[in-house]
């Protein structure tokens, strides 16, 4: 699959650069290049913000954090992004003592938000972990398609 994606990337990139050379630059000049950059920024921002909204939230209780991983051990204080999930109620925040998410299994996280918003090295640790099952197939496919198209467009 990786070889096919690599070939598709090269083919799409050649076509896009030919289009830029033969149509965009001669017809629009520098203004067209600037407009394309602004369009890329707009599409990237819209995709990165709104795509997590289409995914449902998952309970944090299904994430089993263990010390045995392929990469470095994932610490138990990993921050999972809960964008577009129900907010934490005030009564949970007003508990005495340190806040421990393990005490509140109803807390939720968003799979796509954790792919788009966390640093890529953390996302890779999550993906290559043997015992951390936090991403479903639909969120991985959506992230692959969007990331591939944006990388191809900006290359």
């Amino acid at each position: 699959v990786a070889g096919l994606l690599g070939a598709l990337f090269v083919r799409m990139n050649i076509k896009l650069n030919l289009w830029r050379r033969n149509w965009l630059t001669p017809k629009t000049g520098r203004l067209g290049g600037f407009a394309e950059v602004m369009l890329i920024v707009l599409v990237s921002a819209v995709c990165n913000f709104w795509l997590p909204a289409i995914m449902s939230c998952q309970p944090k209780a299904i994430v089993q954090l263990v010390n045995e991983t392929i990469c470095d051990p994932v610490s138990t204080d990993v921050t999972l992004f809960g964008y577009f999930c129900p907010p934490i109620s005030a009564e949970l925040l007003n508990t005495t003592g340190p806040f421990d998410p393990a005490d509140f299994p109803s807390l939720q996280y968003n799979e796509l938000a954790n792919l788009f918003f966390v640093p890529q090295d953390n996302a890779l640790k999550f993906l290559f972990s043997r015992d951390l099952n936090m991403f479903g197939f639909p969120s991985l496919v959506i992230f692959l398609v969007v990331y591939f198209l944006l990388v191809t467009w900006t290359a």
Side-chain angles (χ1 to χ4, degrees):
V1 173
L4 292 175
L5 285 175
L8 180 63
F9 171 79
V10 169
R11 181 75 175 160
M12 289 174 62
N13 204 303
I14 289 171
K15 292 286 187 184
L16 183 63
N17 284 323
L18 286 174
W19 175 80
R20 283 178 180 147
R21 186 186 70 190
N22 295 333
W23 188 86
L24 187 66
T25 305
K27 302 227 191 286
T28 61
R30 288 186 166 181
L31 185 61
F34 180 74
E36 184 186 14
V37 169
M38 291 293 105
L39 183 63
I40 289 171
V41 168
L42 178 68
V43 169
S44 298
V46 167
C47 287
N48 287 334
F49 183 77
W50 286 109
L51 279 177
I54 66 172
M55 295 299 294
S56 61
C57 295
Q58 303 295 326
K60 285 186 182 180
I62 68 169
V63 178
Q64 300 297 322
L65 296 174
V66 295
N67 290 332
E68 195 87 26
T69 61
I70 293 174
C71 299
D72 295 331
V74 178
S75 65
T76 56
D77 61 345
V78 172
T79 301
L80 298 175
F81 288 99
Y83 295 120
F84 302 105
C85 295
I88 299 173
S89 65
E91 60 206 27
L92 291 180
L93 294 177
N94 292 333
T95 58
T96 58
F99 179 75
D100 185 12
D103 295 336
F104 305 102
S106 64
L107 296 179
Q108 298 178 333
Y109 74 99
N110 188 306
E111 293 178 7
L112 269 180
N114 282 284
L115 284 171
F116 278 113
F117 297 141
V118 299
Q120 295 301 312
D121 57 339
N122 289 352
L124 284 174
K125 285 181 184 180
F126 293 153
L127 286 170
F128 290 129
S129 172
R130 291 182 181 163
D131 298 311
L132 185 64
N133 185 15
M134 103 182 246
F135 302 113
F137 187 72
S139 60
L140 291 174
V141 169
I142 291 170
F143 182 73
L144 172 71
V145 169
V146 170
Y147 198 80
F148 180 82
L149 291 175
L150 288 175
V151 164
T152 303
W153 191 11
T154 58

